[in-house]
Amino acid sequence: MLTTGPRGTKDILPDSSGHWQYVEKIIREVCNNFAYQEIRTPVFEHTELFLRGIGDTTDIVEKEMYTFTDRAKRSITLRPENTASAVRSYLENKLYSGPQPTKLFYIGPMFRYDRPQAGRYRQFHQFGIEAIGAQGPAIDAEVISLAVAFLNKLGLSDLKLLINSVGCPQCRPVYRAKLQEFFQDKRSHLCSDCQSRYDRNPMRILDCKNETCAEYSQGAPHMLDCLCEECDSHFAGLQELLTTAGISFVINPRLVRGLDYYTKTAFEIQYSPLGAQSAVCGGGRYDGLIAECGGQPTPGIGFAIGIERVLLALEKQALLPLINTAIDVFVAPLGTETRAVAFQLLTELRYAGIAADMDFMNRSLKAQMKYANKYPAKFVALIGENELAEQKVMLKNMETGSQELIARTALVPMILEEMEK
Ligand code: AMP
């Protein structure tokens, strides 16, 4: 128990944290290009925020939240996603009074009591963006194009962008009625979740992973056939923008997304080599959310990308960069008396901005050289008894194999000079 983490959690170890840093660097670069700024919200919120902001007919709220009562008997939930928190923060901090639209991005851990498997965890990380305040399809195209730019910049190919429109509160009731009519005589064959979805949120039946439900939903009416004029022209506008920008997409009328607050545009990016967990990005418009959370009716759109899945995809396509552990200098003390001076030199090197390390294990000379090669270190600064007495160090260039005896005080300036070459 003490030596095993909770199910569905994973340690990010030093041999892969460099890959995370690489992905995060690309996120920051792309978001900077698109003029999105970072927001960091707490990992826990009042449970009520997610009940309202995600919707109580969703799997997340029904089955997946980590909810607990704190010591003051408040109901608290570890965030299962970041949109509701971003909207809460937008309202609480009056971000609407700044220049509009408000364009935010976030990177951080999310928590869902999901069934763990490859690409599905209970603590996982999302990179997401939110563009709040703009109505027309151009911002939808921008949001989609940011996701595509990010994945392209990582070098991922084989990606498939799926788009759909889930309508709005004007046209959805018509579609809902049509769907209920379609499923009426099939209802008893559906899974128990879908039987309750039939009354509460029949669109979600289309998105059920159960094979029988998928079979029975073949031939179901499409939302796209029921869109009101405004939603229809919004969707047409989006397609035109994407086409003009050279972003290829496929319309998938079954893409309904699990969250109730989505309106109009819904989209997903799939990377099929990931198999069952092929969705790397999911997003859409949420024009109902801000009013639902207590603000003025305000449109918004965003997406979330699962970082673990992106890393799995990068691994599959051999696109992960080599992690650089190289250092400039390895200080090698030989004998106990030399250690204090070695540590002094190490400190001087590091304070001068030079990447340096030393032997802390009392290794033999041979073992220290082998160890220095593993980083690899560009130079080894050897201090034996003689060097100690003469206030010198033996500086070995590990690339050329050449070595020279230099004054101790010359070490830092020499290395700094080398670094400039
Ligand atoms: P969602 O917030 O459900 O729309 O998910 C957005 C993205 O987050 C998905 O496309 C996945 O890449 C990722 N994701 C969602 N749930 C998990 C999970 N349990 N484990 C790992 N990644 C996840």
Side-chain angles (χ1 to χ4, degrees):
M1 200 54 178
L2 286 180
T3 53
T4 317
R7 199 162 126 78
T9 64
K10 246 178 46 166
D11 297 313
I12 299 167
L13 297 173
D15 63 358
S16 63
S17 56
H19 298 147
W20 283 77
Q21 287 164 18
Y22 163 69
V23 170
E24 287 164 12
K25 184 175 117 273
I26 303 286
I27 292 173
R28 290 175 199 288
E29 280 172 16
V30 173
C31 287
N32 189 46
N33 283 352
F34 281 71
Y36 280 70
Q37 288 183 317
E38 186 173 11
I39 182 166
R40 301 188 191 196
T41 61
V43 294
F44 61 88
E45 297 274 358
H46 294 300
T47 302
E48 183 64 21
L49 176 70
F50 300 119
L51 299 183
R52 283 291 199 97
I54 298 179
D56 49 14
T57 65
T58 57
D59 282 354
I60 293 184
V61 168
E62 281 181 343
K63 306 178 196 163
E64 298 173 359
M65 293 209 304
Y66 277 92
T67 299
F68 59 96
T69 309
D70 73 5
R71 287 172 189 270
K73 309 253 178 306
R74 294 183 199 93
S75 182
I76 294 292
T77 295
L78 299 183
R79 62 181 185 196
E81 49 96 66
N82 215 158
T83 304
S85 310
V87 165
R88 193 262 313 132
S89 177
Y90 165 88
L91 293 171
E92 184 171 343
N93 298 293
K94 301 187 175 49
L95 300 185
Y96 46 80
S97 57
Q100 294 303 303
T102 301
K103 306 210 292 186
L104 307 168
F105 81 90
Y106 59 83
I107 305 172
M110 309 295 153
F111 307 85
R112 293 185 197 173
Y113 196 80
D114 235 331
R115 186 196 293 265
Q117 51 194 287
R120 188 165 281 282
Y121 313 97
R122 291 184 174 169
Q123 173 170 335
F124 60 100
H125 298 76
Q126 286 184 335
F127 148 48
I129 69 166
E130 314 294 348
I132 307 175
Q135 201 139 36
I139 198 86
D140 304 34
E142 170 177 283
V143 165
I144 293 175
S145 119
L146 194 156
V148 171
F150 164 67
L151 296 165
N152 283 346
K153 194 156 186 175
L154 290 169
L156 287 172
S157 48
D158 274 354
L159 293 164
K160 195 165 159 189
L161 166 64
L162 307 170
I163 62 168
N164 190 25
S165 174
V166 296
C168 70
Q170 264 71 53
C171 49
R172 208 152 36 205
V174 179
Y175 179 55
R176 192 188 149 97
K178 278 199 179 182
L179 267 186
Q180 280 177 327
E181 199 185 308
F182 174 82
F183 282 114
Q184 196 167 29
D185 55 350
K186 305 175 179 66
R187 197 174 167 179
S188 58
H189 301 286
L190 303 175
C191 73
S192 57
D193 279 347
C194 284
Q195 293 195 14
S196 85
R197 284 170 186 150
Y198 177 88
D199 290 313
R200 301 201 291 161
N201 188 353
M203 266 175 104
R204 297 236 17 248
I205 302 174
L206 301 178
D207 169 36
C208 183
K209 299 287 173 285
N210 182 303
E211 274 177 27
T212 317
C213 299
E215 252 170 54
Y216 277 100
S217 57
Q218 292 290 330
H222 290 166
M223 180 72 226
L224 293 179
D225 298 326
C226 303
L227 294 181
C228 63
E229 220 178 297
E230 192 196 317
C231 288
D232 197 41
S233 82
H234 188 99
F235 194 50
L238 171 65
Q239 291 176 60
E240 192 192 335
L241 287 156
L242 291 177
T243 308
T244 316
I247 299 170
S248 37
F249 60 88
V250 176
I251 296 174
N252 179 357
R254 303 177 68 84
L255 185 68
V256 295
R257 313 280 306 133
L259 310 181
D260 284 350
Y261 55 67
Y262 281 101
T263 52
K264 295 185 174 136
T265 309
F267 67 98
E268 192 167 288
I269 301 179
Q270 293 182 347
Y271 175 68
S272 54
L274 287 181
Q277 312 304 327
S278 66
V280 290
C281 171
R285 189 164 264 286
Y286 46 79
D287 291 351
L289 178 61
I290 289 133
E292 182 70 32
C293 293
Q296 294 298 319
T298 311
I301 176 162
F303 69 68
I305 289 181
I307 301 184
E308 282 82 356
R309 291 199 196 161
V310 166
L311 285 165
L312 283 172
L314 290 175
E315 197 182 349
K316 281 225 156 101
Q317 294 197 343
L319 287 168
L320 287 173
L322 285 176
I323 297 173
N324 182 11
T325 54
I327 57 170
D328 300 306
V329 184
F330 184 75
V331 181
L334 300 169
T336 332
E337 311 77 70
T338 61
R339 305 201 76 81
V341 169
F343 187 73
Q344 181 202 339
L345 272 178
L346 175 71
T347 310
E348 281 173 17
L349 287 161
R350 287 172 167 172
Y351 283 17
I354 296 163
D357 205 355
M358 74 177 253
D359 174 60
F360 290 99
M361 306 300 289
N362 294 326
R363 290 181 176 87
S364 68
L365 173 62
K366 199 171 150 206
Q368 289 199 46
M369 295 307 275
K370 206 168 141 193
Y371 189 74
N373 259 326
K374 278 205 183 133
Y375 286 91
K378 266 187 233 142
F379 292 93
V380 172
L382 279 162
I383 310 169
E385 317 262 292
N386 292 343
E387 287 83 5
L388 183 70
E390 292 169 29
Q391 309 221 341
K392 294 200 161 146
V393 289
M394 180 66 83
L395 187 64
K396 181 168 175 143
N397 182 323
M398 298 296 276
E399 276 154 24
T400 63
S402 66
Q403 54 183 43
E404 62 179 312
L405 199 60
I406 61 164
R408 219 188 265 165
T409 49
L411 179 65
V412 169
M414 259 185 89
I415 301 291
L416 284 175
E417 200 177 303
E418 280 293 330
M419 281 167 62
E420 270 176 21
K421 278 187 188 163

